[in-house]
Amino acid sequence: MNLKKTNLKPNSMKSGKLLLGLVSGAVAGAVVGLLYAPKKGKDTRKAISDKGDNYLKEANRSINDFTDSVNHKMEALKAKTKANLSGSKSKEKLNQAKAEMHEVAS
């Protein structure tokens, strides 16, 4: 005898039960989380806000340090270029730089 069990339930019923299980699990998790939360909501929001402010301040500080570093390097490069061009061969160096720029642009 072939005793094959067939599942006659349509897929929509399976999906509905799965969705119901997921939603009820999420609600139960939220309730348990609220019951066992170590701080009040107000305190938690303040802690999150303070942490976010600290991250923003640190990011701004890092950005400012980076831009200062780039500015110092640019100023040093300008000074070096100006010093190189002020020598006796400045016209020759200028023409050579123009030629190199023209080659790169081509």
Coordinates of all heavy atoms in Angstrom, one line a residue:
M1 N 0.8 -1.2 0.0 CA 0.0 0.0 0.0 C 0.9 1.3 0.0 O 1.8 1.3 0.7 CB -0.8 0.0 1.3 CG -2.1 -0.7 1.1 SD -3.2 0.0 2.2 CE -3.6 -1.0 3.4
N2 N 0.4 2.2 -0.7 CA 1.1 3.5 -0.8 C 0.4 4.5 0.0 O -0.7 5.0 -0.4 CB 1.3 3.9 -2.3 CG 2.2 5.0 -2.4 OD1 2.8 5.5 -1.5 ND2 2.4 5.4 -3.7
L3 N 0.9 4.8 1.2 CA 0.2 5.8 2.0 C 0.9 7.1 1.9 O 1.6 7.5 2.8 CB 0.2 5.3 3.5 CG -0.6 4.0 3.8 CD1 -0.4 3.6 5.2 CD2 -2.0 4.2 3.5
K4 N 0.7 7.8 0.9 CA 1.3 9.1 0.7 C 0.4 10.2 1.3 O -0.8 10.2 1.0 CB 1.4 9.3 -0.8 CG 2.6 10.1 -1.2 CD 2.7 10.2 -2.7 CE 4.1 10.3 -3.1 NZ 4.2 10.6 -4.5
K5 N 0.9 11.0 2.1 CA 0.2 12.1 2.7 C 0.2 13.3 1.8 O 1.3 13.7 1.4 CB 0.8 12.4 4.1 CG -0.2 12.8 5.1 CD 0.5 13.0 6.4 CE -0.5 13.3 7.4 NZ 0.0 13.6 8.7
T6 N -0.9 13.8 1.5 CA -0.9 15.0 0.6 C -1.3 16.2 1.4 O -2.1 16.1 2.3 CB -1.9 14.8 -0.6 OG1 -3.2 14.6 -0.1 CG2 -1.4 13.7 -1.5
N7 N -0.7 17.3 1.1 CA -1.0 18.5 1.8 C -2.0 19.3 0.9 O -1.6 19.8 -0.1 CB 0.2 19.3 2.1 CG 0.0 20.4 3.0 OD1 -1.1 20.7 3.4 ND2 1.1 21.1 3.4
L8 N -3.2 19.4 1.3 CA -4.2 20.1 0.5 C -4.4 21.5 0.9 O -5.3 22.2 0.3 CB -5.6 19.3 0.7 CG -5.6 17.9 0.2 CD1 -6.9 17.2 0.6 CD2 -5.2 17.7 -1.2
K9 N -3.6 22.1 1.8 CA -3.8 23.5 2.1 C -3.2 24.4 1.1 O -2.1 24.1 0.6 CB -3.1 23.8 3.5 CG -3.7 23.1 4.6 CD -3.0 23.4 5.9 CE -3.6 22.7 7.1 NZ -2.9 23.0 8.3
P10 N -3.9 25.4 0.7 CA -3.3 26.3 -0.3 C -2.2 27.1 0.3 O -2.0 27.3 1.5 CB -4.5 27.2 -0.7 CG -5.5 27.0 0.3 CD -5.2 25.7 1.0
N11 N -1.3 27.6 -0.6 CA -0.1 28.4 -0.2 C -0.5 29.7 0.6 O 0.2 30.1 1.4 CB 0.7 28.8 -1.4 CG 1.5 27.6 -1.9 OD1 1.8 26.7 -1.1 ND2 1.9 27.6 -3.1
S12 N -1.7 30.3 0.3 CA -2.1 31.5 1.0 C -2.3 31.2 2.4 O -2.0 32.1 3.3 CB -3.3 32.1 0.3 OG -4.4 31.2 0.4
M13 N -2.8 30.1 2.8 CA -3.0 29.8 4.2 C -1.7 29.6 4.9 O -1.5 30.1 6.1 CB -3.8 28.5 4.4 CG -5.3 28.7 4.1 SD -6.3 27.2 4.3 CE -6.2 27.0 6.1
K14 N -0.7 29.0 4.2 CA 0.6 28.8 4.8 C 1.3 30.2 5.0 O 1.9 30.5 6.1 CB 1.5 28.0 3.9 CG 1.1 26.5 3.9 CD 2.1 25.8 3.0 CE 1.6 24.4 2.8 NZ 2.5 23.6 1.9
S15 N 1.1 31.1 4.0 CA 1.7 32.4 4.1 C 1.1 33.2 5.2 O 1.7 33.9 6.0 CB 1.5 33.2 2.8 OG 2.2 32.5 1.8
G16 N -0.3 33.1 5.4 CA -1.0 33.8 6.4 C -0.5 33.4 7.8 O -0.3 34.2 8.7
K17 N -0.3 32.1 8.0 CA 0.1 31.6 9.3 C 1.6 32.0 9.6 O 1.9 32.4 10.7 CB 0.1 30.0 9.4 CG -1.4 29.5 9.5 CD -1.4 28.0 9.6 CE -2.8 27.5 9.8 NZ -2.8 26.1 10.0
L18 N 2.4 32.0 8.5 CA 3.8 32.5 8.7 C 3.8 34.0 9.1 O 4.5 34.4 10.0 CB 4.6 32.3 7.4 CG 6.0 32.7 7.5 CD1 6.8 32.0 8.5 CD2 6.6 32.7 6.1
L19 N 3.0 34.8 8.4 CA 2.9 36.2 8.7 C 2.4 36.4 10.1 O 2.9 37.3 10.8 CB 2.1 36.9 7.7 CG 2.0 38.4 7.8 CD1 3.3 39.0 7.6 CD2 1.0 39.0 6.7
L20 N 1.4 35.7 10.5 CA 0.8 35.8 11.8 C 1.9 35.5 12.9 O 2.0 36.2 13.9 CB -0.4 35.0 12.0 CG -1.1 35.0 13.4 CD1 -1.6 36.4 13.7 CD2 -2.2 33.9 13.4
G21 N 2.6 34.4 12.6 CA 3.7 34.0 13.6 C 4.8 35.1 13.7 O 5.3 35.4 14.8
L22 N 5.2 35.7 12.5 CA 6.2 36.7 12.6 C 5.8 37.9 13.3 O 6.5 38.5 14.1 CB 6.6 37.1 11.1 CG 7.4 36.0 10.4 CD1 7.6 36.4 8.9 CD2 8.8 35.8 11.0
V23 N 4.5 38.4 13.0 CA 4.0 39.6 13.7 C 3.8 39.3 15.2 O 4.2 40.2 16.0 CB 2.7 40.0 13.0 CG1 2.0 41.1 13.9 CG2 2.9 40.5 11.6
S24 N 3.3 38.2 15.6 CA 3.1 38.0 17.0 C 4.5 37.8 17.7 O 4.6 38.3 18.8 CB 2.3 36.7 17.2 OG 2.9 35.6 16.7
G25 N 5.5 37.3 17.0 CA 6.8 37.2 17.6 C 7.4 38.6 17.8 O 8.1 38.8 18.8
A26 N 7.2 39.4 16.8 CA 7.8 40.8 16.9 C 7.1 41.5 18.1 O 7.8 42.3 18.8 CB 7.6 41.5 15.6
V27 N 5.8 41.4 18.2 CA 5.1 42.1 19.3 C 5.5 41.6 20.6 O 5.8 42.3 21.5 CB 3.5 41.9 19.1 CG1 2.8 42.4 20.3 CG2 3.1 42.7 17.9
A28 N 5.7 40.2 20.7 CA 6.1 39.7 22.0 C 7.5 40.2 22.3 O 7.8 40.5 23.5 CB 6.1 38.1 21.9
G29 N 8.4 40.2 21.4 CA 9.8 40.7 21.6 C 9.8 42.2 22.0 O 10.5 42.5 22.9
A30 N 8.9 43.0 21.4 CA 8.8 44.4 21.8 C 8.3 44.5 23.2 O 8.9 45.4 24.0 CB 7.9 45.2 20.8
V31 N 7.3 43.8 23.6 CA 6.8 43.8 25.0 C 7.9 43.4 26.0 O 8.1 44.1 27.0 CB 5.5 43.0 25.1 CG1 5.1 42.8 26.5 CG2 4.4 43.6 24.3
V32 N 8.6 42.3 25.7 CA 9.6 41.8 26.6 C 10.7 42.9 26.7 O 11.2 43.2 27.8 CB 10.1 40.5 26.2 CG1 11.4 40.1 27.0 CG2 9.1 39.4 26.3
G33 N 11.1 43.5 25.6 CA 12.1 44.5 25.6 C 11.7 45.7 26.4 O 12.5 46.3 27.2
L34 N 10.5 46.1 26.3 CA 10.0 47.3 27.1 C 10.0 46.9 28.6 O 10.3 47.8 29.5 CB 8.6 47.7 26.7 CG 8.6 48.4 25.3 CD1 7.2 48.7 24.9 CD2 9.4 49.7 25.4
L35 N 9.6 45.7 28.9 CA 9.5 45.3 30.4 C 10.9 45.2 31.0 O 11.0 45.5 32.2 CB 8.8 44.0 30.5 CG 7.3 44.0 30.2 CD1 6.7 42.6 30.2 CD2 6.5 44.9 31.2
Y36 N 11.9 44.8 30.3 CA 13.2 44.6 30.8 C 14.2 45.7 30.4 O 15.4 45.6 30.6 CB 13.7 43.2 30.4 CG 13.0 42.1 31.1 CD1 12.1 41.4 30.4 CD2 13.3 41.8 32.4 CE1 11.4 40.3 31.0 CE2 12.6 40.8 33.0 CZ 11.7 40.0 32.3 OH 11.0 39.0 33.0
A37 N 13.7 46.8 29.9 CA 14.6 47.9 29.5 C 15.2 48.5 30.8 O 14.6 48.7 31.8 CB 13.8 49.0 28.8
P38 N 16.6 48.7 30.8 CA 17.3 49.2 31.9 C 17.0 50.7 32.2 O 17.2 51.1 33.4 CB 18.7 48.9 31.6 CG 18.8 48.9 30.1 CD 17.5 48.4 29.7
K39 N 16.6 51.4 31.3 CA 16.5 52.9 31.5 C 15.1 53.3 31.0 O 14.5 52.6 30.2 CB 17.5 53.7 30.7 CG 18.9 53.4 31.1 CD 19.8 54.3 30.3 CE 21.3 54.1 30.7 NZ 22.2 54.9 29.9
K40 N 14.7 54.5 31.4 CA 13.5 55.1 30.9 C 13.7 55.5 29.4 O 14.8 55.7 29.0 CB 13.1 56.3 31.7 CG 12.6 56.0 33.1 CD 12.2 57.2 33.8 CE 11.8 57.0 35.2 NZ 11.5 58.2 35.9
G41 N 12.6 55.6 28.7 CA 12.7 56.1 27.3 C 13.4 57.4 27.2 O 14.2 57.7 26.3
K42 N 13.1 58.3 28.1 CA 13.6 59.7 28.1 C 15.2 59.6 28.3 O 15.9 60.3 27.5 CB 13.0 60.5 29.2 CG 13.5 61.9 29.3 CD 12.8 62.7 30.4 CE 13.3 64.1 30.5 NZ 12.7 64.8 31.6
D43 N 15.6 58.8 29.2 CA 17.0 58.6 29.4 C 17.7 58.0 28.2 O 18.8 58.4 27.9 CB 17.3 57.8 30.7 CG 16.8 58.4 31.9 OD1 16.6 59.7 31.9 OD2 16.5 57.7 32.9
T44 N 17.1 57.0 27.6 CA 17.7 56.3 26.5 C 17.8 57.3 25.3 O 18.8 57.4 24.6 CB 16.8 55.1 26.1 OG1 16.7 54.2 27.2 CG2 17.4 54.4 24.9
R45 N 16.8 58.1 25.1 CA 16.8 59.1 24.0 C 17.9 60.1 24.2 O 18.6 60.5 23.3 CB 15.5 59.8 23.8 CG 14.4 58.9 23.2 CD 13.1 59.7 22.8 NE 12.5 60.3 24.0 CZ 11.6 59.6 24.8 NH1 11.3 58.4 24.5 NH2 11.0 60.2 25.8
K46 N 18.1 60.6 25.5 CA 19.1 61.5 25.8 C 20.5 60.9 25.5 O 21.4 61.6 25.0 CB 19.0 62.0 27.2 CG 20.1 63.0 27.6 CD 19.8 63.7 28.9 CE 20.8 64.7 29.3 NZ 21.8 65.2 28.4
A47 N 20.7 59.7 25.9 CA 22.0 59.0 25.7 C 22.3 58.8 24.3 O 23.4 59.1 23.8 CB 22.0 57.6 26.4
I48 N 21.3 58.5 23.5 CA 21.5 58.4 22.0 C 21.8 59.7 21.4 O 22.7 59.9 20.6 CB 20.2 57.8 21.3 CG1 20.1 56.3 21.7 CG2 20.3 57.9 19.8 CD1 18.7 55.7 21.3
S49 N 21.1 60.8 21.9 CA 21.4 62.1 21.4 C 22.8 62.6 21.7 O 23.5 63.2 20.9 CB 20.4 63.1 21.9 OG 20.7 64.4 21.6
D50 N 23.2 62.3 23.0 CA 24.6 62.7 23.4 C 25.6 62.0 22.6 O 26.6 62.6 22.2 CB 24.7 62.4 24.9 CG 23.9 63.4 25.8 OD1 23.4 64.4 25.3 OD2 23.7 63.0 27.0
K51 N 25.4 60.7 22.4 CA 26.4 59.9 21.6 C 26.5 60.4 20.2 O 27.6 60.5 19.6 CB 26.0 58.4 21.6 CG 27.0 57.5 21.2 CD 28.1 57.5 22.2 CE 28.7 56.1 22.3 NZ 29.9 56.1 23.1
G52 N 25.3 60.8 19.6 CA 25.3 61.3 18.3 C 26.1 62.6 18.2 O 26.8 62.9 17.2
D53 N 25.8 63.5 19.2 CA 26.6 64.8 19.3 C 28.1 64.6 19.3 O 28.8 65.3 18.7 CB 26.1 65.6 20.4 CG 24.7 66.2 20.3 OD1 24.2 66.2 19.1 OD2 24.1 66.6 21.3
N54 N 28.5 63.6 20.1 CA 29.9 63.3 20.3 C 30.5 62.8 18.9 O 31.6 63.2 18.6 CB 30.2 62.2 21.4 CG 29.9 62.8 22.7 OD1 29.9 64.0 23.0 ND2 29.7 61.9 23.7
Y55 N 29.8 62.0 18.2 CA 30.3 61.5 16.9 C 30.4 62.7 15.9 O 31.3 62.8 15.2 CB 29.3 60.4 16.4 CG 29.5 59.1 17.0 CD1 28.4 58.3 17.4 CD2 30.8 58.5 17.2 CE1 28.6 57.1 17.9 CE2 30.9 57.3 17.8 CZ 29.8 56.6 18.1 OH 30.0 55.3 18.7
L56 N 29.4 63.6 16.0 CA 29.4 64.7 15.1 C 30.6 65.7 15.4 O 31.3 66.1 14.5 CB 28.1 65.5 15.1 CG 26.9 64.9 14.4 CD1 25.7 65.8 14.7 CD2 27.2 64.9 12.9
K57 N 30.9 65.9 16.7 CA 32.0 66.7 17.1 C 33.3 66.1 16.6 O 34.2 66.8 16.1 CB 32.0 67.0 18.6 CG 30.9 67.9 19.0 CD 30.9 68.0 20.6 CE 29.8 68.9 21.0 NZ 29.7 68.9 22.5
E58 N 33.4 64.8 16.8 CA 34.7 64.1 16.4 C 34.8 64.1 14.9 O 35.9 64.3 14.4 CB 34.6 62.7 16.9 CG 35.9 61.9 16.7 CD 37.1 62.5 17.4 OE1 37.0 63.1 18.5 OE2 38.2 62.5 16.8
A59 N 33.7 64.0 14.1 CA 33.8 64.0 12.7 C 34.2 65.4 12.2 O 35.1 65.6 11.3 CB 32.5 63.6 12.1
N60 N 33.6 66.5 12.8 CA 34.0 67.8 12.5 C 35.5 68.1 12.8 O 36.2 68.7 12.0 CB 33.1 68.8 13.2 CG 31.8 69.0 12.6 OD1 31.6 68.7 11.4 ND2 30.8 69.3 13.4
R61 N 36.0 67.6 13.9 CA 37.3 67.8 14.3 C 38.3 67.1 13.3 O 39.3 67.7 12.8 CB 37.6 67.2 15.7 CG 39.0 67.6 16.2 CD 39.2 67.1 17.7 NE 38.1 67.6 18.6 CZ 37.3 66.8 19.3 NH1 37.4 65.5 19.3 NH2 36.4 67.3 20.1
S62 N 37.9 65.9 12.9 CA 38.7 65.2 11.9 C 38.7 65.9 10.5 O 39.8 66.0 9.9 CB 38.2 63.7 11.7 OG 38.3 63.0 12.9
I63 N 37.6 66.4 10.1 CA 37.5 67.1 8.8 C 38.3 68.4 8.9 O 39.1 68.7 8.0 CB 36.0 67.4 8.5 CG1 35.3 66.1 8.1 CG2 35.9 68.4 7.4 CD1 33.8 66.3 8.0
N64 N 38.3 69.1 10.0 CA 39.0 70.3 10.2 C 40.5 70.0 10.2 O 41.3 70.8 9.5 CB 38.7 71.1 11.4 CG 37.3 71.7 11.3 OD1 36.8 72.0 10.3 ND2 36.7 71.9 12.5
D65 N 40.9 69.0 10.8 CA 42.4 68.6 10.8 C 42.8 68.2 9.4 O 43.9 68.6 9.0 CB 42.6 67.4 11.8 CG 42.4 67.7 13.2 OD1 42.4 68.9 13.6 OD2 42.4 66.8 14.1
F66 N 42.0 67.5 8.7 CA 42.3 67.1 7.3 C 42.5 68.4 6.4 O 43.5 68.5 5.7 CB 41.3 66.2 6.8 CG 41.5 65.8 5.3 CD1 42.5 64.9 5.0 CD2 40.7 66.3 4.3 CE1 42.8 64.6 3.6 CE2 40.9 66.0 3.0 CZ 42.0 65.2 2.7
T67 N 41.5 69.3 6.5 CA 41.6 70.5 5.7 C 42.8 71.4 6.0 O 43.4 71.9 5.1 CB 40.3 71.3 5.7 OG1 39.9 71.6 7.0 CG2 39.1 70.5 5.1
D68 N 43.1 71.4 7.3 CA 44.2 72.2 7.7 C 45.5 71.6 7.2 O 46.4 72.3 6.7 CB 44.3 72.3 9.3 CG 43.3 73.2 9.9 OD1 42.7 74.0 9.2 OD2 43.1 73.1 11.1
S69 N 45.6 70.3 7.2 CA 46.8 69.6 6.7 C 46.9 69.8 5.2 O 48.0 70.1 4.7 CB 46.6 68.1 7.0 OG 47.7 67.4 6.3
V70 N 45.8 69.7 4.5 CA 45.8 70.0 3.0 C 46.2 71.4 2.7 O 47.1 71.7 1.8 CB 44.5 69.6 2.4 CG1 44.4 70.1 0.9 CG2 44.2 68.1 2.4
N71 N 45.7 72.4 3.5 CA 46.0 73.8 3.3 C 47.5 74.0 3.5 O 48.2 74.8 2.8 CB 45.2 74.7 4.2 CG 43.8 74.8 3.7 OD1 43.5 74.6 2.5 ND2 42.9 75.1 4.6
H72 N 48.1 73.4 4.6 CA 49.5 73.6 4.9 C 50.3 73.0 3.7 O 51.3 73.6 3.3 CB 49.9 73.0 6.2 CG 49.4 73.7 7.4 ND1 49.7 75.0 7.7 CD2 48.5 73.3 8.4 CE1 49.1 75.3 8.8 NE2 48.4 74.3 9.3
K73 N 50.0 71.9 3.2 CA 50.7 71.3 2.1 C 50.6 72.1 0.9 O 51.6 72.2 0.1 CB 50.2 69.8 1.9 CG 50.6 68.9 3.0 CD 50.1 67.5 2.8 CE 50.5 66.6 3.9 NZ 50.0 65.3 3.8
M74 N 49.5 72.7 0.6 CA 49.3 73.5 -0.6 C 50.2 74.8 -0.4 O 50.8 75.2 -1.4 CB 47.8 73.9 -0.8 CG 46.9 72.8 -1.2 SD 47.4 72.2 -2.8 CE 47.0 73.6 -3.9
E75 N 50.2 75.4 0.8 CA 51.0 76.6 1.0 C 52.5 76.3 0.8 O 53.2 77.0 0.2 CB 50.7 77.2 2.4 CG 49.4 77.8 2.5 CD 49.1 78.9 1.6 OE1 50.0 79.7 1.3 OE2 48.0 79.0 1.1
A76 N 52.9 75.1 1.3 CA 54.3 74.7 1.2 C 54.6 74.5 -0.3 O 55.7 74.9 -0.8 CB 54.6 73.4 2.0
L77 N 53.7 73.9 -1.0 CA 53.9 73.6 -2.5 C 54.0 74.9 -3.2 O 54.9 75.1 -4.1 CB 52.8 72.8 -3.0 CG 52.9 72.4 -4.5 CD1 54.2 71.6 -4.7 CD2 51.7 71.6 -4.9
K78 N 53.1 75.9 -2.9 CA 53.2 77.2 -3.5 C 54.5 77.9 -3.2 O 55.1 78.5 -4.1 CB 52.0 78.1 -3.0 CG 50.7 77.8 -3.6 CD 49.6 78.7 -3.0 CE 48.3 78.4 -3.4 NZ 47.2 79.2 -2.7
A79 N 55.0 77.9 -2.0 CA 56.2 78.5 -1.6 C 57.4 77.8 -2.4 O 58.3 78.5 -2.9 CB 56.4 78.4 -0.1
K80 N 57.4 76.5 -2.5 CA 58.4 75.8 -3.2 C 58.4 76.2 -4.6 O 59.5 76.4 -5.2 CB 58.3 74.3 -3.0 CG 59.4 73.5 -3.5 CD 59.1 72.0 -3.2 CE 60.2 71.2 -3.9 NZ 60.0 69.7 -3.6
T81 N 57.3 76.2 -5.2 CA 57.1 76.6 -6.7 C 57.6 78.0 -6.9 O 58.3 78.3 -7.9 CB 55.7 76.4 -7.1 OG1 55.3 75.1 -6.9 CG2 55.5 76.7 -8.6
K82 N 57.2 78.9 -6.0 CA 57.6 80.3 -6.2 C 59.2 80.4 -6.0 O 59.8 81.2 -6.8 CB 56.9 81.1 -5.1 CG 57.1 82.6 -5.3 CD 56.2 83.4 -4.3 CE 56.3 84.9 -4.6 NZ 55.4 85.6 -3.6
A83 N 59.7 79.7 -5.1 CA 61.2 79.7 -4.9 C 61.9 79.1 -6.1 O 62.9 79.7 -6.5 CB 61.6 78.9 -3.7
N84 N 61.4 78.1 -6.7 CA 62.0 77.5 -7.9 C 61.9 78.4 -9.1 O 62.8 78.5 -9.9 CB 61.3 76.2 -8.2 CG 61.8 75.0 -7.3 OD1 62.8 75.1 -6.7 ND2 61.0 74.0 -7.2
L85 N 60.8 79.2 -9.2 CA 60.6 80.1 -10.3 C 61.4 81.4 -10.2 O 61.6 82.1 -11.2 CB 59.1 80.4 -10.5 CG 58.3 79.2 -11.0 CD1 56.8 79.6 -11.1 CD2 58.8 78.7 -12.4
S86 N 61.8 81.7 -9.0 CA 62.5 83.0 -8.8 C 64.0 82.9 -9.1 O 64.7 83.9 -9.1 CB 62.3 83.5 -7.4 OG 62.9 82.6 -6.5
G87 N 64.5 81.7 -9.4 CA 65.9 81.5 -9.7 C 66.2 82.1 -11.1 O 65.4 82.7 -11.8
S88 N 67.5 82.0 -11.5 CA 68.0 82.6 -12.7 C 67.4 81.9 -14.0 O 67.3 82.5 -15.0 CB 69.5 82.6 -12.8 OG 69.9 81.2 -12.7
K89 N 67.0 80.7 -13.8 CA 66.5 79.9 -14.9 C 64.9 79.8 -14.9 O 64.3 78.9 -15.4 CB 67.0 78.5 -14.9 CG 68.5 78.4 -15.1 CD 69.0 77.0 -15.2 CE 70.5 76.9 -15.4 NZ 71.0 75.6 -15.5
S90 N 64.3 80.8 -14.3 CA 62.9 80.8 -14.1 C 62.1 80.7 -15.4 O 61.1 80.0 -15.5 CB 62.4 81.9 -13.2 OG 62.7 83.2 -13.9
K91 N 62.5 81.5 -16.4 CA 61.8 81.5 -17.6 C 61.9 80.1 -18.3 O 60.9 79.6 -18.8 CB 62.3 82.5 -18.6 CG 61.8 83.9 -18.3 CD 61.8 84.8 -19.5 CE 61.2 86.1 -19.1 NZ 60.4 86.6 -20.1
E92 N 63.1 79.5 -18.2 CA 63.3 78.2 -18.8 C 62.4 77.2 -18.1 O 61.7 76.3 -18.7 CB 64.7 77.8 -18.7 CG 65.1 76.5 -19.3 CD 66.5 76.1 -19.1 OE1 67.4 77.0 -19.1 OE2 66.8 74.9 -18.9
K93 N 62.4 77.2 -16.8 CA 61.5 76.3 -16.0 C 60.1 76.5 -16.3 O 59.3 75.6 -16.4 CB 61.8 76.4 -14.5 CG 63.2 75.9 -14.1 CD 63.4 76.1 -12.6 CE 64.7 75.6 -12.2 NZ 65.0 75.7 -10.7
L94 N 59.7 77.7 -16.4 CA 58.3 78.1 -16.7 C 57.9 77.5 -18.0 O 56.8 76.9 -18.2 CB 58.0 79.6 -16.6 CG 56.6 80.0 -16.8 CD1 55.7 79.5 -15.8 CD2 56.5 81.6 -16.8
N95 N 58.7 77.7 -19.1 CA 58.4 77.2 -20.4 C 58.4 75.7 -20.4 O 57.6 75.0 -21.1 CB 59.5 77.7 -21.4 CG 59.3 79.2 -21.7 OD1 58.2 79.7 -21.6 ND2 60.3 79.9 -22.1
Q96 N 59.3 75.1 -19.6 CA 59.3 73.6 -19.5 C 58.0 73.1 -18.9 O 57.4 72.1 -19.3 CB 60.5 73.1 -18.7 CG 60.7 71.6 -18.7 CD 61.9 71.2 -17.9 OE1 62.6 72.1 -17.2 NE2 62.3 70.0 -17.9
A97 N 57.6 73.8 -17.8 CA 56.3 73.4 -17.1 C 55.1 73.5 -18.1 O 54.3 72.7 -18.1 CB 56.1 74.2 -15.9
K98 N 55.1 74.6 -18.8 CA 54.0 74.8 -19.8 C 54.0 73.7 -20.8 O 53.0 73.2 -21.2 CB 54.2 76.2 -20.5 CG 53.8 77.3 -19.6 CD 53.9 78.6 -20.4 CE 53.6 79.8 -19.6 NZ 53.7 81.1 -20.4
A99 N 55.2 73.3 -21.3 CA 55.3 72.2 -22.3 C 54.8 70.9 -21.7 O 54.1 70.2 -22.4 CB 56.8 72.1 -22.8
E100 N 55.2 70.7 -20.5 CA 54.7 69.4 -19.8 C 53.2 69.4 -19.7 O 52.6 68.4 -19.9 CB 55.4 69.2 -18.5 CG 56.9 68.9 -18.6 CD 57.6 68.8 -17.3 OE1 56.9 68.9 -16.2 OE2 58.8 68.7 -17.3
M101 N 52.7 70.6 -19.3 CA 51.2 70.7 -19.1 C 50.5 70.5 -20.5 O 49.5 69.9 -20.6 CB 50.8 72.0 -18.5 CG 51.2 72.1 -17.1 SD 50.9 73.7 -16.3 CE 49.1 73.8 -16.4
H102 N 51.1 71.0 -21.6 CA 50.5 70.9 -22.9 C 50.6 69.4 -23.3 O 49.6 68.9 -23.9 CB 51.3 71.7 -23.9 CG 50.8 71.7 -25.3 ND1 49.5 72.2 -25.6 CD2 51.3 71.1 -26.4 CE1 49.3 72.0 -26.9 NE2 50.3 71.3 -27.4
E103 N 51.6 68.7 -23.0 CA 51.7 67.3 -23.3 C 50.7 66.4 -22.6 O 50.1 65.5 -23.1 CB 53.1 66.7 -23.0 CG 54.2 67.2 -23.9 CD 55.6 66.8 -23.5 OE1 55.7 65.9 -22.6 OE2 56.6 67.3 -24.0
V104 N 50.5 66.8 -21.3 CA 49.5 66.1 -20.5 C 48.1 66.3 -21.0 O 47.3 65.4 -21.1 CB 49.6 66.5 -19.0 CG1 48.4 65.9 -18.2 CG2 50.9 66.0 -18.4
A105 N 47.8 67.5 -21.4 CA 46.5 67.9 -21.9 C 46.2 67.3 -23.3 O 45.0 67.0 -23.6 CB 46.4 69.4 -22.0
S106 N 47.2 66.9 -24.0 CA 47.0 66.4 -25.4 C 46.7 64.9 -25.3 O 46.8 64.2 -24.5 CB 48.3 66.5 -26.2 OG 48.6 67.9 -26.4

